[in-house]
Amino acid sequence: MKMEDMPLSGPDNTRLEALVHDIYSELVEDACLGLCFEVHRAVKQGSFFLDETDQESMKEFEIVDQPGVDIFGQVYNQWKNKECECPNCKRLIAASRFAPHLEKCLGMGRNSSRIANRRLATNNNMSKSESDQEDNDDLNDNDWSYGAEKKAKKRKSDKNQNSPRRSKSLKHKNGELGGSVSSEPYKYNYNTGISYETLGPDDVRSLLTTQCGVISEHTKKMCTRSQRCPQHTDEQRRAVRLFLLGPSAPSLPDADAVVESDSFDIPDGQTLMSRLQWEDSPDISPTDSASSKASTNHSDSRRPKKKKTTSLGLNSGGIGGIGGSLSGGSSSSQSNISLSTKKKRPKLSAPSITSIYDDLN
Amino acid sequence: MSKESRMRATVNQKLTEMGERERLKELLRAKLTECGWKDQMKAHCKEVIKDKGLEHVTVEDLVVEITPKGRALVPDSVKKELLHRIRAFLAQHAT
């Protein structure tokens, strides 16, 4: 419905204002009336005076309105700068950091158990890898352990690269290496595995007598664990020895000695050979040592794959060296014999060795 | 004057029809609660009830006591805003 036009002239204006005020008054009275009904209903239902108790309690819980205090009368940051003494470790800890510290200190809470488990795991791995080589003194040095290197990389940087333990273990292994201590650590420096390419035949032989020596596929390094290391089989060890030293490579000390030996035990032969070499070194004259070494190297380098022949060839080479020192003239013949033996079958080389013995005798 | 009364009636009708009256009511109630007017009035009610006695107080008693005081205690800001809104409504819809 359309409204009449209301021009805003003077008297109309006052009438308009009056109208506005009247409308306003109506609204306010409406509000008051609403309140009265609400209160009256609450009174009659008994819910109006519920929040009132006796005068004493009213005074006690009165709202506080002072500066620096909250409405309960408590000071806000009273404990901010205080330090508490931990009952466990007796240290003074800041109040805001007290709860997390207590959690870790007492070992309760989620994070502390996780940290403890992780620490236990790394400690177990470290001690476990050390116990693997307890049967061989030479491998007690942590840096040599192949398995532990993977798990705890940090330990490597902690150890002194030129520590006396390092060179001591090398000296003990092989007397020839005594003079080359400074160069040796560099071979073992980068990783704890050993690279067979950098080692001479004597080093390889000596290593293989004491260590597993199996060459890893991806790193091309020899395993430095004991002969009974669980990671590699005897077959692998045998194959490595064949590969590195030729068919006359010394066999593994535990298994093969009984099967293949003809006249004398191979390990005895090995020790005999090594002993002879050590004893020889001051005695052998240059030509003889050259010939013996030449024969030895010769037997090392080209080989049909028979270990036995190599060992016997070496033995004969060593013995030939002795023979050379005793009687210079016969050295060449003996070296010839040693050269000839390597081409023959294993069984045929035995009589030649006995012949050499006869010569000595 | 009947013209005026007719006009008033029209305005009121319009106010109600368009829902503006309800809106203004709600606005006023909210504002009064916000500024503490309601709590003040309730405290006053308590006194009146204590005077008259809990059992026999009637709505009339309360209304008679409360309304004048209520009218007086409305803060100026609330009053001004409400007047402004009413005027705006009239200006928009009455002309």
Side-chain angles (χ1 to χ4, degrees), chain A residues 13-14 32 93 122 127 159 196 278 320 344:
Chain A
N13 221 0
T14 47
C32 293
I93 312 288
T122 52
S127 57
K159 306 279 180 191
Y196 59 91
W278 285 346
K344 288 182 191 165

Side-chain angles (χ1 to χ4, degrees), chain A residues 236-337:
Chain A
Q236 286 174 302
R237 288 191 266 276
R238 216 176 301 152
V240 160
R241 279 156 181 76
L242 278 176
F243 170 64
L244 286 175
L245 304 171
S248 63
S251 64
L252 301 165
D254 44 2
D256 301 287
V258 182
V259 176
E260 290 192 4
S261 67
D262 285 349
S263 52
F264 51 92
D265 282 352
I266 301 300
D268 291 348
Q270 250 182 315
T271 52
L272 173 70
M273 163 202 70
S274 48
R275 232 188 305 125
L276 288 172
Q277 282 190 326
W278 285 346
E279 287 162 12
D280 279 343
S281 32
D283 293 333
I284 293 178
S285 59
T287 50
D288 295 328
S289 61
S291 68
S292 64
K293 276 211 178 121
S295 65
T296 322
N297 286 339
H298 215 62
S299 60
D300 277 345
S301 50
R302 48 179 166 99
R303 264 302 125 199
K305 302 207 169 138
K306 298 272 175 178
K307 285 182 298 188
K308 194 123 184 277
T309 324
T310 310
S311 66
L312 294 174
L314 288 173
N315 283 337
S316 59
I319 295 164
I322 292 174
S325 69
L326 294 175
S327 51
S330 57
S331 64
S332 53
S333 61
Q334 278 157 359
S335 57
N336 282 339
I337 292 166

